[in-house]
């Protein structure tokens, strides 16, 4: 369908929207999740082919991506140490997403800006509508006592809500004329509702960091040092808000009973750090982290943890060693710095992402519904056409 629409209209918007739509469903509990999962690389390759054959869509690669060059080279080296053929997809798709998506978004901002922005917002708004629809008694929207919507677990909904909130907020701030008041309130309202019902602490705190950073900046101009201090204090004190939260009567909502063990994250991080200390420089090869936690799943559950390492940077360090980690950080840092030259809102986004990626591992994924939103956010905030009110 995506290819048909492109051939008929010659608009690259439809293939991009198709990719954005299947990504949430690929991480869902819907019956067609497997079909969405398998269609992701096909749609990404379709976008790559289009920007290659269409001369008007084929500008130079965004200079912000240059910071990832070393990371890409190290990825190429570690592909020789892949732990399973299936793990080849992640590094290859990471390269393609970082290169292809900025080119496509930049082209659309110059040629079809309004349709692009409205389509993205309402496309993901549909995901929320599906999440809140009553699918029947046999379809569980609640997992572990928390709302997960169409997603496979509540934390996935929380991370999605966090990134989509920032994306919507930024679009409304600079191109709010494309939406009326009730559309803006409805979109932001349903995002916050989903976030609160998911009871995702990382998502809620990340949104709070984002909004508080904006508030402080708008009141006291350039206070970057203050932002950094606040972000560090919030992060380091993440597990020390117990008395304050209990005083507000929100102990059950924030699941304080699990904060003593870091809700499993502390256990996972200690396990990961133990393996890193055994081989801090070289790493264990792409796919090791996922395989390690899968093989030790029963032991992790016995200790009180389910899932993977819940830290993007420890994941990269385990797989690709210290040099891989430093190149990964440098790639994203340079992209944020280049975008910061155009818009100050990059700083609140960066603080919130830094916090979230330290307690969740979404940043290492490429063909997921959140990393691509971050890439779009950075493309918007570094594009003069978008920033023009």
């Amino acid at each position: 369908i995506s290819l048909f629409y492109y051939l008929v209209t010659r608009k690259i918007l439809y293939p991009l929207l198709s990719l954005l739509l299947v990504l949430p469903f690929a991480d869902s509990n819907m019956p067609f999740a497997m079909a969405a999962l398998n269609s992701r690389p096909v749609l990404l390759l379709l976008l790559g082919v289009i920007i290659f054959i269409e001369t008007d869509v084929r500008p130079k690669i965004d200079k912000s991506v240059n910071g990832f060059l070393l990371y890409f080279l190290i990825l190429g080296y570690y592909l020789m140490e892949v732990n399973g053929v299936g793990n080849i997809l992640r590094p290859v798709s990471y390269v393609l997403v970082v290169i292809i998506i900025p080119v496509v978004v930049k082209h659309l901002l110059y040629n079809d800006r309004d349709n692009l922005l409205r389509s993205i917002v309402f496309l993901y708004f549909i995901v929320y509508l599906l999440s809140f629809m009553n699918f029947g008694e046999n379809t569980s929207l609640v997992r572990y006592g928390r709302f997960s919507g169409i997603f496979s677990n509540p934390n996935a909904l929380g991370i999605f809500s966090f990134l989509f909130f920032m994306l919507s907020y930024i679009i409304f701030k600079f191109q709010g004329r494309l939406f009326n008041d009730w559309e803006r309130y409805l979109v932001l309202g349903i995002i916050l509702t989903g976030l609160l019902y998911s009871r995702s602490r990382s998502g809620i705190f990340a949104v709070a960091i984002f909004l508080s950073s904006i508030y402080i900046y708008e009141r006291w101009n350039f206070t970057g040092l203050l932002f950094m201090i606040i972000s560090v204090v919030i992060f380091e004190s993440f597990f020390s808000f117990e008395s304050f939260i209990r005083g507000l009567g929100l102990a059950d909502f924030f699941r304080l009973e699990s904060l003593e063990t870091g809700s499993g994250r502390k256990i996972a991080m200690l396990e990961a750090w133990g393996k890193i200390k055994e081989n801090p420089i070289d790493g264990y090869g792409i796919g090791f982290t996922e395989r390690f936690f899968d093989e030790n799943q029963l032991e992790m559950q016995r200790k009180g943890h389910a899932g993977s390492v819940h830290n993007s940077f420890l994941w990269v360090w385990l797989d690709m060693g210290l040099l891989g980690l430093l190149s990964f950080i440098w790639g994203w840092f340079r992209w944020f710095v280049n975008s910061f030259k155009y818009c100050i809102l990059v700083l609140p986004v960066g603080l919130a992402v830094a916090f979230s990626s330290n307690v969740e591992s979404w940043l290492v994924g490429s063909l997921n519904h959140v990393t691509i939103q971050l890439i779009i956010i950075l493309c918007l905030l570094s594009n003069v056409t978008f920033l023009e009110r």
Side-chain angles (χ1 to χ4, degrees), residues 172-281:
F172 294 158
K173 183 175 181 64
F174 290 97
Q175 298 298 329
R177 62 178 182 80
L178 300 176
F179 308 84
N180 57 43
D181 289 342
W182 73 265
E183 287 175 333
R184 293 195 294 269
Y185 295 145
L186 183 61
V187 170
L188 294 178
I190 198 172
I191 294 174
L192 292 177
T193 301
L195 179 62
L196 292 175
Y197 273 98
S198 73
R199 298 171 64 193
S200 170
R201 291 186 299 240
S202 62
I204 293 172
F205 273 91
V207 169
I209 291 172
F210 174 69
L211 292 177
S212 61
S213 300
I214 293 175
Y215 177 83
I216 293 174
Y217 197 93
E218 290 179 345
R219 296 301 184 278
W220 293 284
N221 297 322
F222 187 75
T223 51
L225 180 61
L226 178 61
F227 285 157
M228 294 300 296
I229 294 174
I230 291 175
S231 65
V232 170
V233 170
I234 291 176
F235 179 77
E236 295 297 330
S237 304
F238 183 66
F239 299 114
S240 63
F241 284 121
E242 182 175 349
S243 58
F244 175 72
I245 293 175
R246 288 189 186 279
L248 295 176
L250 298 174
D252 291 336
F253 179 82
F254 282 102
R255 296 169 284 124
L256 289 188
E257 73 282 354
S258 64
L259 278 178
E260 294 179 357
T261 59
S263 66
R265 289 180 174 85
K266 184 177 181 181
I267 297 170
M269 291 178 183
L270 289 175
E271 291 289 337
W273 183 242
K275 295 297 294 183
I276 288 172
K277 288 192 294 185
E278 295 176 8
N279 187 17
I281 305 299

Side-chain angles (χ1 to χ4, degrees), residues 43 63 81-82 100 125 133 169-170 179-180 204 208 243 252 255 272 278 320 330 333 361 389:
L43 289 168
K63 64 179 180 180
E81 301 182 42
V82 170
I100 293 174
F125 179 73
M133 284 175 60
Y169 181 95
I170 290 168
F179 308 84
N180 57 43
I204 293 172
S243 58
D252 291 336
R255 296 169 284 124
E278 295 176 8
M320 299 175 56
W330 171 250
F333 176 76
S361 55
R389 296 178 185 258

